[in-house]
Amino acid sequence: MSDEYGVYYRAGVAEREMARARSLLLWRIGSLGLSVAITAGVWWAWPGEFGQWAPWILGTSLAVGLVTVVVGVVRLVRVRADADAARSGLAIGLNRDGMLVGQHWLPWPEVGAVVVRPGALGASTALVATGRDSATVRVPLDYTDTMPATLDTAVRVLSSGRAWLDLSRLD
């Protein structure tokens, strides 16, 4: 292994995730509208047969649809935040002196913890580096060209065992 290791953002991955999250949200909104329209149409067409159950069916369809739309909005917001952080270029740089996480330089003696946190609701798996001064920096790993275990090996080697990635949250 050389004395430097770079982790770069993959071009286009963030844009594809944004397009996917946006498309999923639009489908959920369309599905909600279609479900409400069909239920209202059936209620209007056959009020005698569905009159007493239609409000419950309509209310349930609306409630479930709104929950899925809210989940879609949360997912889109989280994907957008990660996509904004995932600019093209260097995400993480390592050498014998320390690590560059995002745009924050941490010499090895100043590294407090390096944790990999799993993503949820659209957020990327993230590398969170905390300095001894409690400053934290976050990098979305799903948009990079490395795997957490590979990065852990590089951190252990280049820090001479002074730092490592806590991968326990991925279990």
Side-chain angles (χ1 to χ4, degrees):
M1 179 175 260
S2 69
D3 285 349
E4 291 184 348
Y5 184 77
V7 176
Y8 294 89
Y9 289 114
R10 292 183 293 167
V13 174
E15 290 81 18
R16 284 192 300 273
E17 271 304 305
M18 278 289 298
R20 189 169 155 237
R22 194 176 305 116
S23 175
L24 184 60
L25 177 60
L26 291 175
W27 274 103
R28 286 178 173 174
I29 291 170
S31 174
L32 170 62
L34 183 63
S35 175
V36 168
I38 288 172
T39 305
V42 168
W43 187 12
W44 179 78
W46 297 286
E49 290 83 8
F50 293 101
Q52 135 185 81
W53 290 100
W56 292 103
I57 296 171
L58 191 60
T60 303
S61 296
L62 192 59
V64 170
L66 286 175
V67 167
T68 61
V69 167
V70 167
V71 168
V73 168
V74 168
R75 184 178 193 289
L76 181 63
V77 167
R78 295 186 77 165
V79 167
R80 180 173 289 143
D82 284 345
D84 288 345
R87 307 271 184 232
S88 63
L90 185 67
I92 302 165
L94 307 171
N95 64 26
R96 296 276 179 200
D97 297 323
M99 65 188 303
L100 178 70
V101 180
Q103 299 299 315
H104 190 78
W105 174 254
L106 289 168
W108 292 122
E110 298 300 317
V111 174
V114 186
V115 178
V116 176
R117 293 188 180 147
L121 284 176
S124 167
T125 299
L127 173 103
V128 180
T130 305
R132 297 216 184 268
D133 61 353
S134 298
T136 61
V137 184
R138 182 182 178 279
V139 172
L141 285 180
D142 290 347
Y143 303 136
T144 65
D145 62 357
T146 194
M147 298 296 288
T150 305
L151 184 57
D152 179 44
T153 302
V155 167
R156 286 177 192 262
V157 168
L158 291 173
S159 72
S160 300
R162 292 178 282 187
W164 58 90
L165 270 65
D166 179 2
L167 302 173
S168 64
R169 295 185 181 170
L170 295 179
D171 294 337

